[in-house]
Amino acid sequence: MSMNETPSGERLHIGIFGRRNAGKSSLINAITGQDLAIVSEVKGTTTDPVKKAMELLPLGPVVLIDTPGLDDEGGLGQKRMEKGLQMLRQTDVLLLVIAADTMVGDLEQDLLAEAKKRGLPYLIVLNKTDLLTDPAQIDEKAGEISQALAVDPAKVCPVSTDPAQGIGELKERLAKLQPKEVERPLIRDLLEEGDLVVLVVPIDSAAPKGRLILPQQQVIRDSLEAGAIPVVVRDTELSQALAALGKKPRLVVTDSQAFGTVAKIVPKDIPLTSFSILMARYKGDLTVQIAGAQAIEDLKDGDTVLISEGCTHHRQCDDIGTVKMPRWIREYTGKDLHFAFTSGTEFPKDLSPYALVVHCGGCTLPLQEMRYRISYGDSQKVAITNYGVMIAYIHGILPRVTETFVDKKR
């Protein structure tokens, strides 16, 4: 990801759902003014969810999610449907597309019920209105849909993609549906103008060549938003940097993997935390994840721990998720444990096989998805924690690296 781009996890996610041949892909092309999605008269052209990040006025940076048809058939079709519905977890605003030549059924009713349950803003898009001969028929069809789905008629937006009609109004109505942004500072509420914040960024074989990882970029930006002065240093030069500073830093933030080294170097009167813990607070519920770390004490021989990451990346020889974390947990507990791994959009519906879930900071995941995963663990009574929180717990420094947030509400 370029440092000039808005991260995917920070964009408004617009999920577009409907039956096969409802015109979802054509609608995306019409909304964007680009041929982003393949359009065909053949049912089921979209076989997997397709995500496209772009700037869409008047909304700004968004991710459009084109999903397979809700009525896909056969064993493979069922899997496509499940994959498409999985995208509902990442959706901030829902567009339910219904073609003018089809009837509303259980599929639409069930999807809308789930969206309402999750509190998602939505619009019903009455598509292919060019198939209807006059405005009275369009109004009649819109009325049928609103009645069948028990929604306000104002929620139904008639459009045609060929020729393009009603697309501008749809975009304006989408802009009004955009959820009000909740203030979610990553670090700036912990800093004041002129504060020094030291960011410890190890450069080793796992560090991406030529760039910083996303949480590091975001913390630098949020520190600058606060008017603070970020100082970026490797762990190998941390002692030298602290000695050279003219005043005491307000906060030191480190890569969690360096906690053991950094905690010994940073004086105890200087607050310390990690990028991963900041992300846990920013994207989820830090209190739940702190409590979740304590479940390591209850692990027994034969238990399975799920290690879950929000992104997919090339695994290094000493990868944190698949190598380091299992090793650290085994060494701490002394137990004969099993480990399972998921990455990207994959996250189990059933968490009962796992005694503990250890999740990354979720920097690439939409807020809705990360909160869903945390609440899912909580609802199934399976402890869930965060990489940084777990590493701090194992090193015996969890109270120290979370005390900065004691007076904060998140």
Side-chain angles (χ1 to χ4, degrees):
M1 186 207 76
S2 166
M3 291 184 72
N4 295 319
E5 296 177 351
T6 301
S8 175
E10 302 300 309
R11 292 171 178 261
L12 181 76
H13 282 58
I14 302 173
I16 303 177
F17 296 81
R19 295 175 184 259
R20 291 174 297 164
N21 266 21
K24 301 184 297 296
S25 298
S26 297
L27 182 64
I28 284 183
N29 291 345
I31 288 174
T32 62
Q34 303 177 40
D35 291 331
L36 297 179
I38 297 174
V39 177
S40 170
E41 293 301 318
V42 178
K43 286 187 175 183
T45 301
T46 302
T47 58
D48 293 290
V50 177
K51 299 167 75 173
K52 174 63 178 178
M54 64 179 301
E55 297 288 324
L56 182 63
L57 296 176
L59 291 166
V62 302
V63 172
L64 295 174
I65 308 173
D66 188 11
T67 61
L70 295 171
D71 58 338
D72 213 341
E73 299 172 338
L76 183 58
Q78 181 64 33
K79 290 182 179 180
R80 290 171 180 165
M81 286 170 57
E82 290 174 359
K83 192 71 175 178
L85 290 172
Q86 192 179 81
M87 292 297 102
L88 196 61
R89 304 199 313 240
Q90 300 190 19
T91 296
D92 297 305
V93 175
L94 171 74
L95 292 184
L96 174 55
V97 184
I98 301 173
D101 58 349
T102 61
M103 301 296 291
V104 174
D106 291 342
L107 291 173
E108 290 83 3
Q109 292 170 346
D110 291 346
L111 179 72
L112 193 57
E114 184 63 26
K116 290 178 178 178
K117 179 181 175 182
R118 298 183 187 212
L120 295 180
Y122 66 90
L123 282 176
I124 312 299
V125 181
L126 171 55
N127 199 15
K128 302 187 180 182
T129 56
D130 51 292
L131 299 177
L132 305 176
T133 57
D134 59 60
Q137 284 188 312
I138 295 175
D139 291 341
E140 183 180 350
K141 185 65 178 181
E144 289 177 5
I145 290 173
S146 66
Q147 185 174 9
L149 294 176
V151 300
D152 187 330
K155 286 286 188 181
V156 182
C157 188
V159 304
S160 170
T161 59
D162 185 21
Q165 294 178 344
I167 301 300
E169 181 183 351
L170 173 60
K171 290 165 71 171
E172 292 293 336
R173 292 177 66 176
L174 264 175
K176 293 177 181 177
L177 278 184
Q178 183 171 4
K180 292 183 179 178
E181 186 173 347
V182 178
E183 181 67 15
R184 293 188 296 120
L186 181 56
I187 190 175
R188 64 181 181 271
D189 62 323
L190 307 175
L191 305 172
E192 295 181 1
E193 190 171 345
D195 278 346
L196 287 175
V197 54
V198 177
L199 310 178
V200 184
V201 179
I203 302 297
D204 54 23
S205 61
K209 298 297 183 183
R211 65 181 177 89
L212 301 178
I213 62 173
L214 182 54
Q216 295 163 359
Q217 295 179 32
Q218 291 180 282
V219 169
I220 291 173
R221 173 57 190 265
D222 215 44
S223 299
L224 295 173
E225 290 274 1
I229 305 169
V231 177
V232 183
V233 63
R234 297 187 301 180
D235 52 325
T236 47
E237 285 76 45
L238 177 59
S239 295
Q240 182 180 349
L242 291 175
L245 293 175
K247 65 177 183 179
K248 185 169 74 172
R250 171 66 186 85
L251 181 64
V252 174
V253 184
T254 182
D255 185 292
S256 300
Q257 298 180 68
F259 257 148
T261 300
V262 173
K264 294 175 182 177
I265 295 173
V266 177
K268 292 188 176 173
D269 63 337
I270 297 177
L272 171 67
T273 193
S274 77
F275 295 103
S276 183
I277 290 174
L278 287 175
M279 290 304 302
R281 169 178 177 258
Y282 180 62
K283 283 286 179 79
D285 189 323
L286 181 57
T287 301
V288 168
Q289 293 176 87
I290 290 174
Q294 299 174 33
I296 193 175
E297 303 293 348
D298 301 322
L299 293 177
K300 304 181 294 296
D301 287 337
D303 278 346
T304 301
V305 177
L306 175 65
I307 309 291
S308 187
E309 294 189 339
C311 63
T312 55
H313 58 267
H314 176 68
R315 304 291 182 182
Q316 302 289 332
C317 59
D318 205 19
D319 179 67
I320 182 172
T322 57
V323 180
K324 290 181 179 178
M325 192 65 71
R327 181 175 71 235
W328 291 333
I329 293 175
R330 284 192 178 107
E331 289 175 350
Y332 180 86
T333 63
K335 304 297 183 182
D336 180 18
L337 302 170
H338 305 291
F339 289 86
F341 307 93
T342 65
S343 61
T345 59
E346 300 301 323
F347 193 74
K349 288 183 179 179
D350 181 13
L351 295 177
S352 60
Y354 310 111
L356 174 66
V357 178
V358 186
H359 205 291
C360 71
C363 62
T364 63
L365 293 176
L367 178 64
Q368 293 277 12
E369 173 73 14
M370 195 63 224
R371 289 184 173 174
Y372 165 85
R373 295 185 181 195
I374 294 170
S375 65
Y376 214 51
D378 193 42
S379 66
Q380 296 190 34
K381 308 301 180 187
V382 176
I384 184 167
T385 192
N386 161 277
Y387 277 18
V389 173
M390 177 56 73
I391 295 170
Y393 187 92
I394 288 173
H395 280 89
I397 58 172
L398 185 56
R400 178 184 177 186
V401 300
T402 56
E403 65 181 358
T404 302
F405 313 115
V406 169
D407 296 328
K408 302 296 178 183
K409 293 184 179 179
R410 285 181 307 284

